[in-house]
Amino acid sequence: MSSVGAGSSMQVHAVRFGPGQELLAGLQAFVDQRRLRAPFIITCVGSLTKATLRLANATATNTNEVMHLNGRFEIVSLVGTLNPEAHLHISLSDGEGKTLGGHVLGDLEIFTTAEVVIGEALDLQFVREMDEKTGFPELVVRTRSD
């Protein structure tokens, strides 16, 4: 795999999603509509009623380490890249302040709001290629050529 370690100029986008929307699909649609080629999450605040997360013990051959959440949760962190195969991790806090998190698989149903600030590295392109060592599609950073 080839990767670029170079810096880039950045553009900032902001979007708000409302009750009942699915956050991951909304983010992917936002990225597609604007044709962002190296997008990433800068910050996010909001709340969810559902989430499906893959836990840390999961491997390419053991994908059963999945948690389905239902209830009311505050989004206390959302990080990752939003290339065509988004790679996001989320931390959620429940009604008692207990925090849990993992790799976002989807089903992120918004309770009240999700306010997201997205950065785009204007000089780069993010793609994912299968990594034989990990068994997962991993990030490859390329210099933009357009």
Side-chain angles (χ1 to χ4, degrees):
M1 275 190 225
S2 61
S3 260
V4 174
S8 175
S9 56
M10 180 175 75
Q11 186 169 18
V12 176
H13 307 266
V15 61
R16 178 183 174 267
F17 300 99
Q21 289 185 280
E22 201 286 321
L23 182 55
L24 180 57
L27 288 168
Q28 290 174 320
F30 183 87
V31 165
D32 290 345
Q33 290 167 359
R34 284 158 183 78
R35 297 183 180 156
L36 307 182
R37 295 177 63 190
F40 55 93
I41 301 292
I42 295 175
T43 192
C44 173
V45 295
S47 59
L48 301 175
T49 58
K50 291 170 53 176
T52 300
L53 309 177
R54 187 179 71 217
L55 304 176
N57 287 333
T59 65
T61 57
N62 175 21
T63 57
N64 294 327
E65 299 289 329
V66 173
M67 180 183 337
H68 300 280
L69 301 171
N70 289 289
R72 292 185 178 169
F73 301 93
E74 290 290 330
I75 300 169
V76 294
S77 176
L78 179 67
V79 297
T81 56
L82 290 166
N83 49 296
E85 294 181 51
H87 186 185
L88 299 176
H89 289 193
I90 196 167
S91 293
L92 301 169
S93 177
D94 68 14
E96 296 177 359
K98 295 177 185 166
T99 302
L100 48 93
H103 174 93
V104 172
L105 292 178
D107 204 25
L108 302 178
E109 186 177 293
I110 297 168
F111 176 46
T112 59
T113 191
E115 303 163 5
V116 188
V117 180
I118 300 167
E120 181 188 16
L122 296 174
D123 305 312
L124 303 175
Q125 179 175 0
F126 295 163
V127 296
R128 293 212 166 263
E129 293 179 1
M130 184 55 71
D131 184 321
E132 298 302 322
K133 293 178 185 173
T134 68
F136 290 104
E138 302 292 0
L139 180 68
V140 176
V141 180
R142 296 194 175 122
T143 302
R144 219 177 203 172
S145 60
D146 57 288

